[in-house]
Amino acid sequence: MYFLLTAGGNPFETVSKPIISLLDMALVPALAIVGALGAIYCIILGAKLAKAEEPQDREKAKNSLKNAIVGFVLIFVLIVVLKLGMTAMQNWMNSAVGSGAAGGAGSWITGIGF
Protein backbone atom coordinates (compact mmCIF):
# COMPACT_ATOMS: atom_id res chain seq x y z
CA MET A 1 0.00 0.00 0.00
CA TYR A 2 2.84 2.36 0.83
CA PHE A 3 4.34 1.74 -2.61
CA LEU A 4 1.07 2.67 -4.31
CA LEU A 5 0.83 5.93 -2.39
CA THR A 6 4.43 6.95 -3.02
CA ALA A 7 4.60 5.84 -6.66
CA GLY A 8 3.80 9.41 -7.80
CA GLY A 9 0.41 8.69 -9.35
CA ASN A 10 -3.07 8.70 -7.94
CA PRO A 11 -3.94 5.03 -7.36
CA PHE A 12 -7.57 5.86 -6.62
CA GLU A 13 -8.12 7.81 -9.82
CA THR A 14 -8.77 4.69 -11.87
CA VAL A 15 -11.45 3.65 -9.39
CA SER A 16 -13.01 7.05 -8.73
CA LYS A 17 -13.30 8.37 -12.30
CA PRO A 18 -15.87 5.78 -13.50
CA ILE A 19 -17.92 6.22 -10.32
CA ILE A 20 -17.90 10.00 -10.62
CA SER A 21 -18.82 9.90 -14.30
CA LEU A 22 -21.65 7.45 -13.54
CA LEU A 23 -23.00 9.77 -10.86
CA ASP A 24 -22.73 12.76 -13.18
CA MET A 25 -24.65 10.92 -15.89
CA ALA A 26 -27.30 9.55 -13.50
CA LEU A 27 -28.16 12.71 -11.55
CA VAL A 28 -30.06 14.57 -14.29
CA PRO A 29 -32.27 11.58 -15.19
CA ALA A 30 -32.76 10.93 -11.46
CA LEU A 31 -34.10 14.46 -11.04
CA ALA A 32 -36.54 13.94 -13.90
CA ILE A 33 -37.67 10.54 -12.61
CA VAL A 34 -38.13 11.77 -9.03
CA GLY A 35 -40.03 14.81 -10.23
CA ALA A 36 -42.34 12.77 -12.47
CA LEU A 37 -42.99 10.06 -9.91
CA GLY A 38 -43.55 12.66 -7.20
CA ALA A 39 -46.09 14.51 -9.32
CA ILE A 40 -47.95 11.31 -10.24
CA TYR A 41 -47.99 10.06 -6.65
CA CYS A 42 -49.21 13.41 -5.31
CA ILE A 43 -51.99 13.48 -7.93
CA ILE A 44 -53.08 10.00 -6.86
CA LEU A 45 -53.05 11.01 -3.19
CA GLY A 46 -54.95 14.21 -4.03
CA ALA A 47 -57.62 12.15 -5.77
CA LYS A 48 -57.85 9.92 -2.68
CA LEU A 49 -58.27 13.05 -0.57
CA ALA A 50 -61.04 14.31 -2.86
CA LYS A 51 -62.86 10.96 -2.83
CA ALA A 52 -62.64 10.47 0.93
CA GLU A 53 -66.05 10.76 2.57
CA GLU A 54 -65.35 9.89 6.18
CA PRO A 55 -63.49 12.43 8.35
CA GLN A 56 -60.97 9.78 9.40
CA ASP A 57 -60.29 8.90 5.76
CA ARG A 58 -59.88 12.60 4.86
CA GLU A 59 -57.40 13.11 7.69
CA LYS A 60 -55.48 9.98 6.73
CA ALA A 61 -55.34 11.05 3.07
CA LYS A 62 -54.29 14.58 4.04
CA ASN A 63 -51.46 13.26 6.21
CA SER A 64 -50.35 10.88 3.45
CA LEU A 65 -50.29 13.72 0.93
CA LYS A 66 -48.36 15.96 3.30
CA ASN A 67 -45.81 13.23 4.05
CA ALA A 68 -45.39 12.44 0.34
CA ILE A 69 -44.76 16.10 -0.51
CA VAL A 70 -42.20 16.46 2.28
CA GLY A 71 -40.47 13.24 1.23
CA PHE A 72 -40.25 14.14 -2.44
CA VAL A 73 -39.03 17.65 -1.68
CA LEU A 74 -36.36 16.19 0.57
CA ILE A 75 -35.23 13.70 -2.08
CA PHE A 76 -35.21 16.43 -4.74
CA VAL A 77 -33.14 18.77 -2.55
CA LEU A 78 -30.64 16.02 -1.70
CA ILE A 79 -30.16 15.16 -5.38
CA VAL A 80 -29.62 18.84 -6.23
CA VAL A 81 -27.12 19.21 -3.37
CA LEU A 82 -25.27 16.13 -4.61
CA LYS A 83 -25.17 17.58 -8.12
CA LEU A 84 -23.94 20.96 -6.91
CA GLY A 85 -21.45 19.50 -4.44
CA MET A 86 -19.96 16.96 -6.84
CA THR A 87 -17.20 19.27 -8.13
CA ALA A 88 -16.29 20.43 -4.64
CA MET A 89 -16.01 16.82 -3.48
CA GLN A 90 -13.89 15.95 -6.54
CA ASN A 91 -11.54 18.88 -5.88
CA TRP A 92 -11.27 17.97 -2.21
CA MET A 93 -10.50 14.33 -3.03
CA ASN A 94 -7.93 15.22 -5.67
CA SER A 95 -6.15 17.68 -3.38
CA ALA A 96 -6.16 15.23 -0.47
CA VAL A 97 -4.90 12.34 -2.56
CA GLY A 98 -2.41 14.53 -4.41
CA SER A 99 -0.79 15.79 -1.21
CA GLY A 100 -0.89 12.30 0.31
CA ALA A 101 0.90 10.62 -2.57
CA ALA A 102 4.10 12.53 -1.85
CA GLY A 103 3.62 12.67 1.90
CA GLY A 104 3.64 9.01 2.82
CA ALA A 105 1.30 6.27 3.90
CA GLY A 106 -1.95 7.41 5.43
CA SER A 107 -1.51 11.08 4.64
CA TRP A 108 -4.14 11.02 1.90
CA ILE A 109 -6.71 10.43 4.63
CA THR A 110 -5.56 13.03 7.11
CA GLY A 111 -3.86 15.52 4.80
CA ILE A 112 -0.85 15.52 7.14
CA GLY A 113 2.43 14.45 5.58
CA PHE A 114 4.62 11.94 7.40
Side-chain angles (χ1 to χ4, degrees):
M1 184 70 160
Y2 179 75
F3 174 72
L4 290 175
L5 291 173
T6 58
N10 183 350
F12 302 107
E13 193 168 325
T14 57
V15 174
S16 66
K17 277 196 175 186
I19 294 170
I20 291 170
S21 67
L22 178 68
L23 283 175
D24 279 338
M25 290 185 320
L27 285 178
V28 174
L31 280 173
I33 290 170
V34 167
L37 289 177
I40 291 169
Y41 191 61
C42 288
I43 289 170
I44 292 170
L45 288 176
K48 278 187 179 181
L49 178 63
K51 289 184 351 182
E53 295 177 4
E54 298 291 323
Q56 297 89 1
D57 293 338
R58 281 188 87 69
E59 193 64 33
K60 186 177 176 183
K62 188 180 359 173
N63 285 337
S64 295
L65 183 60
K66 183 176 66 172
N67 290 338
I69 290 171
V70 168
F72 281 113
V73 166
L74 183 63
I75 291 170
F76 185 76
V77 166
L78 289 175
I79 291 174
V80 169
V81 167
L82 180 62
K83 179 69 176 164
L84 294 176
M86 185 69 73
T87 55
M89 288 187 284
Q90 286 174 337
N91 293 337
W92 172 75
M93 187 191 80
N94 288 335
S95 68
V97 172
S99 66
S107 61
W108 64 274
I109 294 174
T110 61
I112 300 170
F114 292 106

